[in-house]
Amino acid sequence: MKRAIVLVLDSFGIGATSDAGRFGDEGADTLGAIARYRAAAGKPLQLPNLARLGLFHAHSESAGSVAAGVSLPVEVTGAFGYAEELSSGKDTPSGHWEIAGVPVLFEWGYFLDKENSFPQALLDELVAGAALPGYLGNCHASGTTILEKLGQQHIDSGKPIFYTSADSVFQIAAHEQHFGLERLYALCELARARLAPYNIGRVIARPFVGSLETGFERTGKRRDYAVEPPSPTVLNKLLDAGGEVVSVGKIADIYANSGISRKVKATGIDALFDATLAEVARAGDNSLVFTNFVDFDSSYGHRRDIAGYADALEAFDARLPELQAQLGGDDLLVLTADHGCDPSWPGSDHTREHIPVLASGAGLVPGSLGKRHSFADIGQSLAAYFGLPAMDFGQSFIATRNAFER
Ligand SMILES: O=P(O)(O)O[C@H]1O[C@H](CO)[C@@H](O)[C@H]1O
Ligand SMILES: [Mn+2]
Ligand SMILES: [Mn+2]
């Protein structure tokens, strides 16, 4: 039986790429910074299960030294490597599409101005098209900081909050009750359509609840409206061959529902892990269970919460044996990331980093896979594993299997 489980720890970079300087990210290292913080606090980072899969070995090959406070395990049970990104950006869709064998070789559009970030013509179209009383924000911002600043004004005025970041994104924050969740989604769909000429990768609905007194809190009802990948991903190829692709978390959103047979949503790392276990339990032959753990990025990386990121990693690590107990020797497990988001870095944006590639099962020999020149090596390996036609990008680290049985 062939089943692949791919877990993306969103934003879990393991050291700056050689082109990180172009992004202002030279020296960024998400895992390295977290380990350093914990070592300095006298509570070294404990990730025994990820370590056995080769995480710290991969990190030390990427960063040039062993993470602070960490001792490398003597026995490693997985194949481990680190990958640089071919795609032009360091955003979530680029990272995920490249993982699935389709790097983004074109330039996204960006809203570069920190203030008055959006073109007036676009703003006018949105105000008229959705009959809005106006808008707030229109700037670069951290999504939680802008709620502290404008949340009350939003409730009082009924004007949605528009903001962006270093990524190719247009984000809209609105209160679930005062503005209305469905109204927010409809506004995002309008924005998605109007943004086509600007080549923007994603519109993100950012619903929130609460009040000035209790504080504002973003909810799990976030929705991402991505454009479709520029060419068929390994997900599409698996579906075309009669296989199954199960999305857990925001995977389906990131691929604009292309190449997905079923989707399951859950909020929080534990709930996403539970949903992954449930999907693995029911997954049959020729299926891929593909999960994105967004909280590493949205709750800790962007929030520059090093302590929170460390705790979340440890909690995630502690659950890995539950998953491993469900896997047969022929199943393929891949743990990886889509970009970095070093919580010790200035600002609140992603960081251009290598991603870990931790692969086990499926006859893989434990040991180093070395430096991989594209995230697409994962997609190419999935194609080889399932016996699908080869992808245009990436080098497989897995021996090609028999052609897919139809
Ligand atoms: O600060 P928040 O709202 O979490 O936004 C972040 O989330 C977006 C998607 O990763 C990024 O582009 C960044 O802007
Ligand atoms: Mn991401
Ligand atoms: Mn992010």
Side-chain angles (χ1 to χ4, degrees):
M1 183 147 91
K2 283 188 285 192
R3 309 185 308 168
I5 294 88
V6 178
L7 308 185
V8 176
L9 284 75
D10 201 307
S11 88
F12 190 40
I14 58 170
T17 52
S18 55
D19 66 358
R22 216 158 42 83
F23 296 79
D25 296 337
E26 213 169 344
D29 181 352
T30 301
L31 173 57
I34 295 165
R36 201 166 51 242
Y37 171 88
R38 274 299 202 76
K43 201 180 157 211
L45 191 61
Q46 302 282 347
L47 305 174
N49 298 302
L50 287 163
R52 259 194 300 281
L53 292 173
L55 173 66
F56 291 114
H57 284 81
H59 171 265
S60 69
E61 286 186 13
S62 158
S65 59
V66 177
V70 161
S71 44
L72 296 179
V74 182
E75 203 208 348
V76 169
T77 57
F80 58 85
Y82 62 104
E84 60 187 2
E85 185 164 13
L86 272 183
S87 301
S88 58
K90 52 177 177 175
D91 56 278
T92 291
S94 297
H96 281 75
W97 298 354
E98 186 164 330
I99 286 170
V102 179
V104 175
L105 303 175
F106 57 84
E107 281 292 335
W108 291 113
Y110 293 97
F111 298 115
L112 297 172
D113 296 338
K114 302 280 182 210
E115 299 288 335
N116 295 316
S117 306
F118 305 116
Q120 196 57 48
L122 170 70
L123 294 166
D124 292 345
E125 280 183 315
L126 295 179
V127 166
L132 300 172
Y135 50 82
L136 301 172
N138 188 15
C139 58
H140 279 237
S142 149
T144 45
T145 310
I146 203 164
L147 293 189
E148 286 165 25
K149 201 169 137 205
L150 298 176
Q152 189 57 44
Q153 211 178 316
H154 160 73
I155 292 172
D156 294 340
S157 67
K159 297 174 183 175
I161 304 167
F162 297 160
Y163 67 104
T164 187
S165 72
D167 292 332
S168 182
V169 289
F170 185 87
Q171 306 211 66
I172 308 179
H175 197 283
E176 280 192 15
Q177 284 82 43
H178 293 282
F179 190 86
L181 189 59
E182 292 308 321
R183 198 167 153 229
L184 171 60
Y185 291 155
L187 175 57
C188 287
E189 275 165 37
L190 175 69
R192 178 65 280 170
R194 293 288 180 267
L195 279 159
Y198 300 95
N199 204 20
I200 295 301
R202 238 178 342 158
V203 174
I204 311 180
R206 296 291 197 167
F208 66 96
V209 293
S211 65
L212 197 55
E213 296 73 46
T214 61
F216 296 115
E217 204 186 337
R218 304 199 294 185
T219 74
K221 302 210 171 94
R222 163 187 178 162
R223 212 176 261 185
D224 294 48
Y225 300 79
V227 289
E228 275 199 24
S231 60
T233 66
V234 73
L235 314 186
N236 300 108
K237 296 200 178 185
L238 183 53
L239 281 201
D240 289 349
E244 261 214 67
V245 177
V246 181
S247 154
V248 182
K250 67 172 188 163
I251 292 292
D253 282 1
I254 298 167
Y255 293 92
N257 291 304
S258 177
I260 309 290
S261 12
R262 230 158 56 73
K263 52 182 174 181
V264 182
K265 289 247 178 172
T267 303
I269 291 170
D270 264 321
L272 285 161
F273 212 99
D274 289 338
T276 303
L277 295 179
E279 292 310 317
V280 171
R282 59 184 277 184
D285 200 13
N286 296 313
S287 53
L288 166 65
V289 177
F290 195 0
T291 306
N292 172 284
F293 291 89
V294 68
D295 302 72
F296 291 112
D297 178 76
S298 60
S299 300
Y300 309 114
H302 286 297
R303 310 286 77 86
R304 297 308 192 240
D305 178 356
I306 314 180
Y309 208 137
D311 293 347
L313 282 172
E314 289 182 341
F316 176 89
D317 184 87
R319 299 212 54 189
L320 269 179
E322 291 174 62
L323 174 60
Q324 287 165 323
Q326 285 193 18
L327 301 182
D330 206 31
D331 290 333
L332 170 66
L333 173 64
V334 179
L335 288 117
T336 189
D338 56 340
H339 48 73
C341 200
D342 182 336
S344 73
W345 211 244
S348 66
D349 287 320
H350 295 161
T351 43
R352 179 84 164 180
E353 293 185 47
H354 295 131
I355 56 160
V357 179
L358 308 180
S360 55
L364 276 160
V365 179
S368 178
L369 298 167
K371 179 175 184 171
R372 316 299 303 189
H373 296 292
S374 169
F375 299 2
D377 287 11
I378 296 174
Q380 191 68 280
S381 302
L382 290 169
Y385 175 69
F386 286 116
L388 300 169
M391 305 297 297
D392 290 342
F393 292 89
Q395 287 201 318
S396 175
F397 47 78
I398 262 195
T400 303
R401 299 297 188 96
N402 292 335
F404 198 88
E405 300 277 320
R406 283 159 210 242

